[in-house]
Amino acid sequence: MVEKGVDIAPADGKLGILLVGLGAVSTTFVAGVEAIRKGAAQPIGSLTQMGTIRLGKRTDNNCPKIKDFVPLANLDDIVFGAWDIFHDSAYDAALNAGVLEKSQVEDLREQLESLKPMAAVFEQNYVKRITGENVKTGKNKMELAEQLIEDIARFKEEKGCDRLVLVWAASTEIFVTASKVHETLEAFEKGLYDDDAAIAPSMIYAYAALKSKVPFANGAPNLSCDIPALTKLAEDNGVPICGKDFKTGQTLMKTIIAPGLKSRMLGLEGWYSTNILGNRDGEVLDDPENFKTKEESKLSVLEHILQPDVYPELYKDFAHVVRINYYPPRGDNKEGWDSIDIFGWLGYKMQIKIDFMCRDSILAAPLCLDLALFMDLAQRAKMKGVQEWLSFYFKAPQTAPELYPEHDLFIQLMKLKNTLRHLKGEDLITHLGLEYYD
Ligand SMILES: NC(=O)c1ccc[n+]([C@@H]2O[C@H](COP(=O)([O-])OP(=O)(O)OC[C@H]3O[C@@H](n4cnc5c(N)ncnc54)[C@H](O)[C@@H]3O)[C@@H](O)[C@H]2O)c1
């Protein structure tokens, strides 16, 4: 056993979860937490609520629930806030999103109606396909950031929260790469005053959160806080950050199957992925510039898992194509097809087909919960900057600049659990296991 672990402040009082975007994912998340609190549903898909963690040897039979092992905020102590470009309450937005049964939304009407979004920071250029009225105005981007900082402080005060976390679950912004204005905090702040076009709304939210010392988790693939200016601000202000892009449907499957193929040294000729979905996310992603952000995030996983440089005979030059097609009749119930061309012993070819009839927001909602609770834990444990141990939740995990991201779901889970063991001063589990045979 390690000496004593890390000092973690208790999870006393209320935790405010501020959601940017009150769309399909956010409303499914909020409604789910409300239903669970009422005892009307189970937190399926949530590691913080259902997961266990083995401590010590396999023969010790010590496997507590994660939520009993580390001090996480209790679901009854959560309070929600949100921003959106539409005025709809969480009740109307949930009905609009059409993820949950109408009767289930009706049962939670009172709680959902009370969640009304604050006015958003929005720029049409970054999300082309939607336009809303509930949008802030200001003479420059710094003024907009200050308005968000005021929103955060007011929410905390009015709701009597002890701590806050912020989760980006708003639309995917157009593809941008980091440039000069993103390099240092000085350049970034000057850019806010100068209304620099390269500063996206999601960066303004991230800046406001970090200035307010509120952890920021990014559920979309846009850069947001994955720029040097903001990672530095997170470090300096002692705030945890993580991202990018919730790992839910097709990419979740990819990061489950690809490590398995590689473990058995099976080769890959190509992986063709296509999706049809008809929700608002699908509509936004129908724009080529917004899709490009998503495509980059979805494409990166196979290269990193399969390591073509290390295994050229198996993975050099495999074809990888990802498509998303907006198809309204399907709503949030996305269908993701994968056609995987592999080869085995002596080069003989085989095929794997996957048809995942998934429900996007049903898969994403528990991730919002886990991220909010773990980010709050991280802050109470004085962890700051990029939280790579939360890569488990992301398609394009944010890492230190010199590191490649770890995409293998099982390595990510081991890393997450070992981080929890480390925090509590428990032995890390290496899976060596020789001692059982001594
Ligand atoms: N559902 C999943 O499985 C999944 C997986 C990975 C990533 N994501 C990402 O999560 C995000 C949310 O997905 P969704 O299905 O809930 O989408 P959605 O379109 O239903 O909801 C997004 C909401 O964000 C609002 N919005 C847009 N720009 C905003 C801004 N600047 N400030 C405040 N609100 C803003 C929109 O009005 C909308 O209500 C998307 O970026 C999506 O790509 C979702």
Side-chain angles (χ1 to χ4, degrees):
M1 171 107 87
V2 183
E3 257 312 287
K4 65 182 220 348
V6 171
D7 236 349
I8 308 174
D12 294 340
K14 285 192 195 167
L15 172 68
I17 301 181
L18 285 163
L19 299 160
V20 190
L22 193 54
V25 172
S26 292
T27 54
T28 307
F29 165 44
V30 173
V33 170
E34 298 292 359
I36 294 159
R37 289 207 272 225
K38 281 175 63 173
Q42 292 284 336
I44 306 205
S46 161
L47 188 70
T48 58
Q49 304 305 300
M50 305 201 94
T52 61
I53 183 160
R54 185 187 117 203
L55 304 176
K57 295 187 171 176
R58 267 181 277 164
T59 43
D60 291 350
N61 288 324
N62 187 8
C63 204
K65 280 202 160 179
I66 287 175
K67 66 177 181 176
D68 297 327
F69 176 58
V70 283
L72 297 176
N74 195 296
L75 296 198
D76 290 331
D77 294 329
I78 291 176
V79 191
F80 293 105
W83 292 273
D84 203 287
I85 67 168
F86 299 108
H87 289 283
D88 293 351
S89 70
Y91 169 77
D92 291 316
L95 287 178
N96 250 336
V99 177
L100 302 174
E101 303 278 339
K102 208 165 175 251
S103 60
Q104 189 163 28
V105 178
E106 253 353 290
D107 285 347
L108 303 164
R109 182 170 188 152
E110 198 186 320
Q111 294 94 321
L112 295 177
E113 267 185 339
S114 68
L115 176 53
K116 298 200 169 71
M118 298 178 270
V121 171
F122 184 72
E123 208 179 313
Q124 192 74 66
N125 178 44
Y126 278 89
V127 181
K128 302 249 165 47
R129 299 273 163 116
I130 52 172
T131 308
E133 305 293 311
N134 192 25
V135 174
K136 293 189 195 306
T137 52
K139 67 176 188 296
N140 57 41
K141 291 184 177 178
M142 183 55 102
E143 207 175 282
L144 297 176
E146 281 160 4
Q147 290 179 32
L148 289 176
I149 291 170
E150 278 165 31
D151 286 351
I152 293 171
R154 192 180 342 103
F155 174 83
K156 188 172 184 194
E157 166 81 26
E158 282 176 8
K159 302 286 178 186
C161 295
D162 287 78
R163 306 170 317 283
L164 301 175
V165 295
L166 199 145
V167 180
W168 175 277
S171 311
T172 299
E173 295 173 333
I174 58 167
F175 184 68
V176 286
T177 47
S179 59
K180 269 226 151 325
V181 71
H182 307 121
E183 248 165 48
T184 63
L185 189 57
E186 294 68 40
F188 186 82
E189 287 183 335
K190 181 170 180 308
L192 286 174
Y193 283 115
D194 294 348
D195 249 346
D196 194 309
I199 297 183
S202 67
M203 294 173 186
I204 305 177
Y205 282 97
Y207 174 79
L210 299 179
K211 288 298 268 186
S212 311
K213 299 199 165 69
V214 173
F216 181 90
N218 180 12
N222 21 258
L223 280 181
S224 306
C225 63
D226 195 4
I227 52 173
L230 294 183
T231 48
K232 175 80 169 52
L233 179 60
E235 288 277 340
D236 291 349
N237 277 5
V239 191
I241 53 174
C242 66
K244 308 181 298 269
D245 206 5
F246 299 128
K247 178 152 86 175
T248 50
Q250 195 167 54
T251 310
L252 173 68
M253 284 299 151
K254 247 176 213 171
T255 62
I256 291 171
I257 288 166
L261 296 174
K262 184 177 142 192
S263 307
R264 291 284 188 203
M265 293 289 108
L266 294 169
L268 181 75
E269 254 197 306
W271 196 311
Y272 181 83
S273 303
T274 189
N275 298 271
I276 52 173
L277 80 162
N279 58 14
R280 193 183 281 154
D281 187 29
E283 192 179 350
V284 168
L285 294 174
D286 206 36
D287 184 278
E289 284 187 88
N290 296 81
F291 172 64
K292 170 91 175 128
T293 316
K294 197 57 131 183
E295 187 184 28
E296 288 286 315
S297 164
K298 281 177 166 267
L299 281 178
S300 63
V301 302
L302 284 185
E303 287 279 325
H304 284 297
I305 291 175
L306 300 175
Q307 298 177 293
D309 295 346
V310 183
Y311 304 101
E313 311 89 328
L314 298 174
Y315 305 121
K316 191 166 170 285
D317 299 331
F318 65 82
H320 188 193
V321 177
V322 178
R323 296 276 178 268
I324 298 179
N325 291 307
Y326 176 54
Y327 178 60
R330 204 46 69 93
D332 197 65
N333 295 354
K334 180 170 82 178
E335 182 160 2
W337 287 287
D338 286 277
S339 186
I340 313 165
D341 291 286
I342 64 170
F343 54 92
W345 185 243
L346 311 179
Y348 279 81
K349 294 182 181 193
M350 295 169 261
Q351 293 184 21
I352 302 171
K353 310 279 180 197
I354 303 171
D355 186 2
F356 189 9
M357 316 282 286
C358 78
R359 291 174 188 262
D360 250 5
S361 303
I362 293 294
L363 292 168
L367 275 52
C368 293
L369 175 62
D370 284 1
L371 282 166
L373 296 188
F374 279 144
M375 288 295 267
D376 171 49
L377 171 75
Q379 192 167 47
R380 282 182 287 108
K382 301 200 179 52
M383 297 166 88
K384 58 183 180 176
V386 178
Q387 302 299 301
E388 205 199 319
W389 63 287
L390 297 174
S391 298
F392 179 66
Y393 294 104
F394 296 112
K395 285 196 202 58
Q398 196 172 336
T399 60
E402 66 278 9
L403 290 178
Y404 66 82
E406 185 52 73
H407 285 288
D408 178 327
L409 189 82
F410 305 101
I411 296 180
Q412 291 172 333
L413 180 63
M414 205 183 328
K415 190 179 176 67
L416 187 156
K417 288 190 175 180
N418 268 340
T419 304
L420 299 179
R421 294 183 185 105
H422 160 78
L423 288 177
K424 293 287 287 178
E426 289 285 338
D427 285 343
L428 305 189
I429 291 196
T430 62
H431 298 287
L432 181 63
L434 284 179
E435 70 274 20
Y436 299 117
Y437 298 91
D438 280 347

